[in-house]
């Protein structure tokens, strides 16, 4: 008489294979989510750059902010939701790709003639946009250099 069904070993092998495939899929999904959040953050930094360039055309210079206290504060002064900069050059919209609780903040420094905006991202360490047109990913920000010089 022939038995029908699967043995315990066969079931354990199939369950193990499914667990391995599931963990691989979960890892790929987690990386994809990080990439999506990083893309959103990079896009938002670029939108701030566009607003700063509009400000420059209107006022002949960039908004000045050079306090070293900004290292620990998100977009000091001009980037607050109720600031005249946000109201005029970004239609009152502040961007939402930042999670301050996780330390993903945007930073801005300017001497009026040039600026640097950067933010922490998940897969690379930082993303930087500068008034000289350079932008890109960085492993570290050089805060010993002039604060408005690009690290790229």
């Amino acid at each position: 008489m022939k038995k029908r069904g699967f043995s315990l070993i066969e079931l354990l092998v199939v369950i193990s294979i499914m667990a391995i495939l599931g963990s691989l899929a979960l890892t790929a999904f987690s990386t994809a989510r990080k990439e999506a959040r990083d893309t959103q953050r990079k896009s938002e930094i670029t939108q701030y750059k566009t607003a700063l360039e509009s400000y420059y055309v209107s006022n002949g210079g960039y908004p000045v902010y050079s306090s070293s206290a900004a290292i620990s504060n998100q977009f000091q002064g001009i980037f607050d939701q109720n600031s005249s900069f946000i109201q005029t050059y970004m239609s009152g919209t502040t961007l939402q790709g930042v999670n301050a609780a996780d330390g993903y903040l945007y930073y801005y420094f300017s001497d009026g003639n040039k600026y640097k905006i950067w933010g922490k991202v998940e897969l690379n360490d930082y993303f930087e946009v500068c008034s000289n047109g350079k932008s890109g990913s960085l492993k570290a920000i050089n805060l010993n250099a002039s604060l408005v010089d690009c690290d790229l």
Side-chain angles (χ1 to χ4, degrees):
M1 182 184 229
K2 190 172 183 182
K3 286 186 172 181
R4 302 201 113 183
F6 297 104
S7 71
L8 181 60
I9 300 285
E10 291 170 328
L11 288 173
L12 289 175
V13 167
V14 169
I15 290 171
S16 298
I17 291 170
M18 290 175 61
I20 291 169
L21 292 175
S23 67
L24 291 174
L26 186 59
T27 302
F29 179 68
S30 174
T31 302
R33 289 183 61 188
K34 288 178 183 179
E35 288 175 356
R37 286 190 297 264
D38 283 354
T39 300
Q40 181 179 4
R41 290 180 183 113
K42 291 173 185 179
S43 172
E44 290 183 357
I45 289 173
T46 303
Q47 289 178 45
Y48 278 116
K49 177 187 183 219
T50 302
L52 284 168
E53 296 303 332
S54 295
Y55 183 95
Y56 185 88
V57 169
S58 298
N59 299 292
Y62 299 108
V64 176
Y65 194 81
S66 60
S67 170
S68 60
I71 299 301
S72 62
N73 296 308
Q74 176 190 3
F75 265 135
Q76 289 284 322
I78 64 164
F79 294 104
D80 291 336
Q81 185 171 3
N82 296 322
S83 73
S84 62
F85 177 83
I86 294 295
Q87 297 299 321
T88 304
Y89 296 97
M90 296 188 73
S91 302
T93 303
T94 53
L95 304 173
Q96 302 297 320
V98 178
N99 186 352
D102 292 336
Y104 296 104
L105 302 176
Y106 300 148
Y107 303 96
Y108 168 79
F109 285 105
S110 174
D111 62 3
N113 298 316
K114 54 186 178 177
Y115 67 83
K116 174 169 62 173
I117 303 171
W118 77 91
K120 185 164 177 44
V121 293
E122 295 180 60
L123 296 178
N124 297 315
D125 287 333
Y126 296 93
F127 182 76
E128 177 180 65
V129 173
C130 300
S131 56
N132 64 4
K134 292 183 178 181
S135 65
S137 298
L138 302 167
K139 286 295 179 189
I141 295 289
N142 182 4
L143 293 176
N144 294 324
S146 171
L147 291 174
V148 293
D149 287 340
C150 282
D151 292 316
L152 296 169

